[in-house]
Amino acid sequence: MISDKMTAFVQGSSVIRAMFEEGKNMAKKYGQENVYDFSLGNPNVPAPASVNKAIKDIIDEEDSVFVHGYMSNSGYEDVRASIAASLNKRFGTGFAENNIIMTVGAAGGLNVILKTLLNPEDEVITFAPYFGEYRSYVGNYDGKLVVVSPDTDTFQPKFDEFEQKITAKTRAVIMNNPNNPTGVVYSEETLKKLAVIMEKKQKEYGTDIYLISDEPYRELVYDGVTVPYPTKYYKNTIVGYSYSKSLSLPGERIGYLVIPSEVSDYENVSAAANVATRILGFVNAPSLMQRVVGRCVDAEVNIEPYNRNRELLYNSLKEYGYECVKPQGAFYLFVKSPSEDETEFVNAAKKHHILVVPGTSFACPGYVRIAYCVAYDTIKNSLPGFKELAQEFGL
Amino acid sequence: MISDKMTAFVQGSSVIRAMFEEGKNMAKKYGQENVYDFSLGNPNVPAPASVNKAIKDIIDEEDSVFVHGYMSNSGYEDVRASIAASLNKRFGTGFAENNIIMTVGAAGGLNVILKTLLNPEDEVITFAPYFGEYRSYVGNYDGKLVVVSPDTDTFQPKFDEFEQKITAKTRAVIMNNPNNPTGVVYSEETLKKLAVIMEKKQKEYGTDIYLISDEPYRELVYDGVTVPYPTKYYKNTIVGYSYSKSLSLPGERIGYLVIPSEVSDYENVSAAANVATRILGFVNAPSLMQRVVGRCVDAEVNIEPYNRNRELLYNSLKEYGYECVKPQGAFYLFVKSPSEDETEFVNAAKKHHILVVPGTSFACPGYVRIAYCVAYDTIKNSLPGFKELAQEFGL
């Protein structure tokens, strides 16, 4: 007999994960090369050589008890200092080691910060389309996810609706920049507008509204676009980062939270996040990987394969008549489904061995997410299928 | 502003962790060799050579995208199958890959299984002295920890009190074998007695009472003692394991849950644990370390240094007049404080640069925990201090 909350989950489960498992089964059945699995954001670009070199060097050079042993729950001080210095160099921020907490991926970091901040019934706002797990994470702490509806022309935030949805119970806002599933990047102007609204509401209600910027795709940007560093626009900003996508280490579970000294109640937020790391069962981020990212803090992120994929897939789908806002970040295309109910298109695609994720999973029905972090040839070989589907659906 | 639950935590925090930080500061001040830090269970025996070899071999031999990438939330199928086969060979069990879920240490596994099982107000029984984090983990899911008082003569479970404390709301029992902080090992006879009681109560209330056996110290046993495999005595047993102590990998966060097919509602428990792994932010256990333990599943655990430490420390303290139940497992001595309030002794010990943890942290006041997973010389050099303390306290 399982808990009531989990009963609901077992029935609902994860569409993305179900697709991933389905893709593996299809690959077993038809052969890997005949399945075009665009469902899971699992980077196909290997980790940089410097990462694997770092692993081996650390094993050879650093003391085993140190490398594999416990350390402060927030992580090795030297690693945190290196990360802070790197951020300061890149973005002109003023962080120190005490502003960084190493986390078990971004997902671990989000759980830590939400445990730190949320009382039951507290509201957390996010912008559709959004990564469906936000709902689960907020639900873990009995918070209430409040969703701003999607602007399907641009997938930028709807500022008026955002302002209206902030209440006295709004404890946090989760922003994902660059965005999963749309790949859009919020500009500096957008961040400034959001900040003005949140400052206004903080004053109006006499509350603290923390902006949680979830940014595992920060370095995956194209067309010369850069992602502004959000702490510079709004004092109560906490950043969640992960090396899953930038260094292709999603399985290793390594990321960090940035809790700037300027945030309201910094001492308690920082202390609580440290404790939450321990009692939620993370205890600390994996030790060897902390040492690795400490050494690889300025590693080059190779985005060229993703960009090449983006161009091929986007241009081809546009040619076939699909509608899509061209993404400038991450590795997803969010494409308008040619069928009103995207389930129809998703199922038809499966017959062509194409796996995509329904937009409903991201609170944006009528769309599908296509993850292009796959081999170039996978995209190339899937194109005839996408073309046939376009014709089947009368595009 | 932080959540109410976390406000309480930040005020209370962790005595063990506070000691650890205090030990580090003392070491900076007085020199590492002049501090006798017995506070944290951080193994001083290095990981076996086979572990570091495995890390390097995996980096050289296995595909980077596979080693560092996402896999099923429950972990790599081949690693789980290897673990199941190893358990079957060692203990005559009948597990398969589907009975194993890889976890972020034992702490991660406990959080996963408690999230899976507990509704708010459900009761979880444990036996004092117990690892204080159990209270935090149960509290994460709004469960209620019910504690069986300690039998300070033997530190074995008090069966009558256990039976009395089981109610219709008892969802789980957490057993730690070998035990932290006492180091005692529960015998086969003890497991059978506990099973009889739980079976009786399941029938009486018409409920499922899951026994969660938390066993990171399984291989750390002395005097020819073995730890019986608990699933063989009680159908509704779930095992939580970690390689933190056996392979000296506490920082790496790698362990597993065993959910036998025989447990009540196996399909839902297993499915829910898989989902909980994901939504709690673990997503999966660290990938490289999964591959490592897959290769090192039969690695020898070197307990000789711990045994040597145990003998030296136990015999010396007994000689000085301290009282202690001789432990047969783990790497802790649980020693009766010569002062009624152990805080007095703990503070006096600090003046001798000796750091021990008050028994109150384990719900057993009047005792202190001494972790002997330290260098032999650390123990040797601390003995004059322990002797002086014994004299100061009139032993």
Side-chain angles (χ1 to χ4, degrees):
Chain A
M1 197 176 157
I2 62 177
S3 64
D4 299 338
K5 270 175 142 183
M6 291 312 295
T7 299
F9 268 110
V10 166
Q11 285 157 359
S13 198
S14 160
V15 174
I16 300 176
R17 285 285 166 169
M19 284 282 190
F20 179 50
E21 299 291 337
E22 193 168 352
K24 280 160 65 183
N25 292 337
M26 259 195 203
K28 273 193 209 131
K29 200 167 169 184
Y30 302 109
Q32 183 93 6
E33 67 286 1
N34 297 316
V35 174
Y36 315 108
D37 188 350
F38 299 106
S39 64
L40 187 67
N42 196 15
N44 70 304
V45 171
S50 56
V51 162
N52 282 341
K53 179 180 189 309
I55 291 171
K56 293 167 68 176
D57 287 349
I58 289 163
I59 294 300
D60 283 336
E61 297 164 12
E62 298 189 35
D63 172 60
S64 201
V65 171
F66 176 70
V67 168
H68 299 308
Y70 284 129
M71 83 304 292
S72 297
N73 299 122
S74 293
Y76 295 104
E77 287 82 2
D78 64 335
V79 172
R80 289 148 66 200
S82 296
I83 290 171
S86 170
L87 290 174
N88 296 341
K89 189 172 77 182
R90 290 166 68 196
F91 305 113
T93 45
F95 304 129
E97 156 231 314
N98 61 295
N99 301 118
I100 309 293
I101 294 181
M102 304 308 293
T103 60
V104 174
L110 284 171
N111 271 274
V112 163
I113 196 61
L114 291 171
K115 172 118 181 126
T116 293
L117 296 176
L118 296 186
N119 284 320
E121 308 302 311
D122 279 353
E123 293 171 6
V124 178
I125 298 180
T126 199
F127 306 91
Y130 65 90
F131 181 46
E133 297 288 67
Y134 293 165
R135 183 171 292 282
S136 310
Y137 304 157
V138 169
N140 286 338
Y141 311 102
D142 299 312
K144 183 180 159 201
L145 193 71
V146 173
V147 182
V148 178
S149 69
D151 172 352
T152 55
D153 289 333
T154 63
F155 292 120
Q156 294 286 331
K158 282 182 177 173
F159 297 106
D160 290 346
E161 189 179 325
F162 174 53
E163 183 165 350
Q164 285 160 26
K165 287 188 160 170
I166 299 177
T167 73
K169 297 198 67 57
T170 304
R171 183 67 66 119
V173 177
I174 301 178
M175 169 177 82
N176 185 214
N177 193 23
N179 184 270
N180 171 14
T182 65
V184 303
V185 174
Y186 293 175
S187 65
E188 183 181 54
E189 189 180 328
T190 295
L191 296 192
K192 285 178 172 174
K193 279 186 179 170
L194 294 173
V196 163
I197 293 168
M198 289 184 291
E199 294 278 13
K200 175 179 167 188
K201 289 297 181 178
Q202 283 190 140
K203 280 194 182 65
E204 186 180 320
Y205 295 123
T207 55
D208 291 313
I209 302 173
Y210 294 92
L211 174 64
I212 302 170
S213 184
D214 178 36
E215 27 185 85
Y217 302 99
R218 166 168 284 283
E219 291 83 8
L220 272 60
V221 282
Y222 319 106
D223 305 333
V225 160
T226 56
V227 182
Y229 210 79
T231 58
K232 302 164 86 170
Y233 304 93
Y234 182 68
K235 198 169 66 70
N236 273 341
T237 299
I238 291 165
V239 179
Y241 183 76
S242 158
Y243 293 94
S244 293
K245 312 304 198 283
S246 54
L247 296 187
S248 299
L249 298 173
E252 301 296 357
R253 317 309 305 128
I254 183 75
Y256 58 80
L257 283 169
V258 181
I259 303 173
S261 306
E262 294 74 31
V263 303
S264 177
D265 207 16
Y266 159 79
E267 292 293 344
N268 279 327
V269 174
S270 184
N274 184 288
V275 174
T277 294
R278 200 187 81 235
I279 66 176
L280 285 175
F282 303 108
V283 178
N284 54 254
S287 47
L288 172 60
M289 283 302 146
Q290 286 190 50
R291 311 259 8 111
V292 168
V293 302
R295 290 191 183 214
C296 296
V297 80
D298 291 315
E300 274 297 308
V301 180
N302 180 19
I303 58 163
E304 199 33 53
Y306 296 135
N307 194 25
R308 194 172 170 236
N309 288 356
R310 180 185 72 123
E311 294 290 354
L312 175 63
L313 189 59
Y314 175 80
N315 292 334
S316 306
L317 294 185
K318 289 289 280 183
E319 191 190 307
Y320 307 152
Y322 293 95
E323 286 178 50
C324 173
V325 170
K326 188 173 190 185
Q328 292 176 311
F331 43 44
Y332 307 106
L333 288 189
F334 205 56
V335 174
K336 193 167 198 276
S337 164
S339 58
E340 205 179 303
D341 175 359
E342 80 271 16
T343 317
E344 216 186 302
F345 178 73
V346 169
N347 289 337
K350 282 187 200 175
K351 296 201 185 80
H352 294 265
H353 297 173
I354 291 173
L355 293 160
V356 297
V357 184
T360 304
S361 308
F362 306 95
C364 194
Y367 283 77
V368 296
R369 185 191 82 170
I370 308 176
Y372 56 79
C373 48
V374 297
Y376 185 83
D377 283 352
T378 301
I379 296 174
K380 201 158 68 83
N381 296 337
S382 73
L383 293 179
F386 275 115
K387 192 170 185 178
E388 278 181 52
L389 282 161
Q391 284 158 0
E392 281 170 42
F393 283 85
L395 286 178
Chain B
M1 198 177 154
I2 62 176
S3 64
D4 299 337
K5 272 175 142 181
M6 291 312 295
T7 299
F9 268 110
V10 166
Q11 284 156 0
S13 198
S14 160
V15 174
I16 301 177
R17 284 285 166 169
M19 284 282 189
F20 179 51
E21 298 292 335
E22 193 169 352
K24 280 160 66 184
N25 291 338
M26 259 196 202
K28 272 192 207 133
K29 200 169 170 184
Y30 302 110
Q32 183 93 7
E33 67 286 1
N34 297 316
V35 175
Y36 316 108
D37 188 348
F38 299 107
S39 65
L40 187 67
N42 195 15
N44 70 304
V45 171
S50 57
V51 163
N52 282 340
K53 180 182 191 306
I55 290 170
K56 291 167 71 176
D57 287 349
I58 288 163
I59 294 301
D60 283 337
E61 298 166 12
E62 296 189 36
D63 172 60
S64 201
V65 171
F66 175 70
V67 168
H68 300 308
Y70 284 129
M71 81 305 290
S72 297
N73 299 121
S74 293
Y76 295 104
E77 286 82 1
D78 64 333
V79 171
R80 290 150 62 200
S82 295
I83 290 171
S86 170
L87 291 173
N88 295 343
K89 190 172 77 182
R90 292 165 67 196
F91 304 114
T93 45
F95 304 128
E97 156 231 313
N98 60 296
N99 301 119
I100 309 293
I101 293 181
M102 304 308 293
T103 60
V104 174
L110 285 171
N111 271 274
V112 164
I113 197 61
L114 291 172
K115 172 120 180 123
T116 292
L117 296 176
L118 298 187
N119 284 320
E121 309 302 310
D122 277 354
E123 293 171 7
V124 178
I125 298 180
T126 199
F127 306 91
Y130 64 92
F131 180 47
E133 298 287 65
Y134 293 164
R135 183 172 291 282
S136 310
Y137 304 157
V138 169
N140 286 339
Y141 311 103
D142 298 312
K144 182 181 160 200
L145 193 70
V146 172
V147 182
V148 177
S149 69
D151 173 351
T152 55
D153 290 335
T154 64
F155 291 120
Q156 294 286 332
K158 282 182 177 173
F159 298 106
D160 290 346
E161 188 179 325
F162 174 53
E163 185 166 348
Q164 285 159 28
K165 288 189 158 168
I166 300 178
T167 73
K169 297 197 68 54
T170 304
R171 183 66 69 118
V173 177
I174 300 178
M175 169 177 84
N176 185 215
N177 192 23
N179 184 270
N180 170 13
T182 67
V184 301
V185 174
Y186 294 176
S187 64
E188 183 182 52
E189 188 179 331
T190 295
L191 296 193
K192 285 178 173 175
K193 278 186 178 170
L194 293 173
V196 162
I197 293 168
M198 289 184 292
E199 293 278 13
K200 175 179 166 186
K201 289 298 180 178
Q202 285 189 140
K203 280 194 182 65
E204 184 179 325
Y205 295 122
T207 55
D208 291 313
I209 302 171
Y210 294 91
L211 173 65
I212 301 169
S213 183
D214 178 37
E215 27 184 89
Y217 303 99
R218 166 169 284 283
E219 292 81 10
L220 272 60
V221 281
Y222 319 105
D223 305 334
V225 162
T226 55
V227 182
Y229 210 80
T231 58
K232 301 164 86 170
Y233 304 92
Y234 182 67
K235 200 169 64 70
N236 273 342
T237 299
I238 290 166
V239 178
Y241 183 75
S242 156
Y243 293 93
S244 294
K245 313 303 198 284
S246 54
L247 296 188
S248 299
L249 299 173
E252 301 295 358
R253 318 309 305 129
I254 183 72
Y256 57 81
L257 283 169
V258 181
I259 302 173
S261 305
E262 294 75 29
V263 304
S264 179
D265 206 16
Y266 160 79
E267 292 293 345
N268 279 328
V269 173
S270 184
N274 183 289
V275 173
T277 294
R278 202 185 81 234
I279 66 177
L280 285 175
F282 304 109
V283 179
N284 54 253
S287 47
L288 171 60
M289 282 303 145
Q290 286 191 50
R291 311 261 4 111
V292 169
V293 303
R295 289 191 183 214
C296 296
V297 81
D298 291 315
E300 274 297 308
V301 179
N302 181 19
I303 58 163
E304 198 35 51
Y306 296 136
N307 195 25
R308 194 172 170 236
N309 287 355
R310 180 184 72 123
E311 294 291 355
L312 175 63
L313 190 59
Y314 175 79
N315 292 333
S316 306
L317 294 186
K318 289 289 279 183
E319 190 190 310
Y320 306 151
Y322 292 96
E323 286 179 48
C324 173
V325 172
K326 188 174 190 184
Q328 293 177 309
F331 42 45
Y332 307 107
L333 288 190
F334 205 57
V335 174
K336 192 166 200 275
S337 163
S339 58
E340 206 180 302
D341 175 359
E342 80 271 19
T343 317
E344 218 188 300
F345 179 72
V346 169
N347 289 337
K350 281 187 199 174
K351 296 202 185 84
H352 294 265
H353 298 172
I354 290 173
L355 292 161
V356 298
V357 185
T360 304
S361 306
F362 306 96
C364 193
Y367 283 78
V368 296
R369 186 190 80 171
I370 309 176
Y372 56 80
C373 47
V374 297
Y376 185 83
D377 282 352
T378 301
I379 296 175
K380 202 159 66 85
N381 296 338
S382 75
L383 294 180
F386 275 115
K387 190 169 184 180
E388 279 182 51
L389 281 161
Q391 285 159 0
E392 279 172 43
F393 282 86
L395 287 180

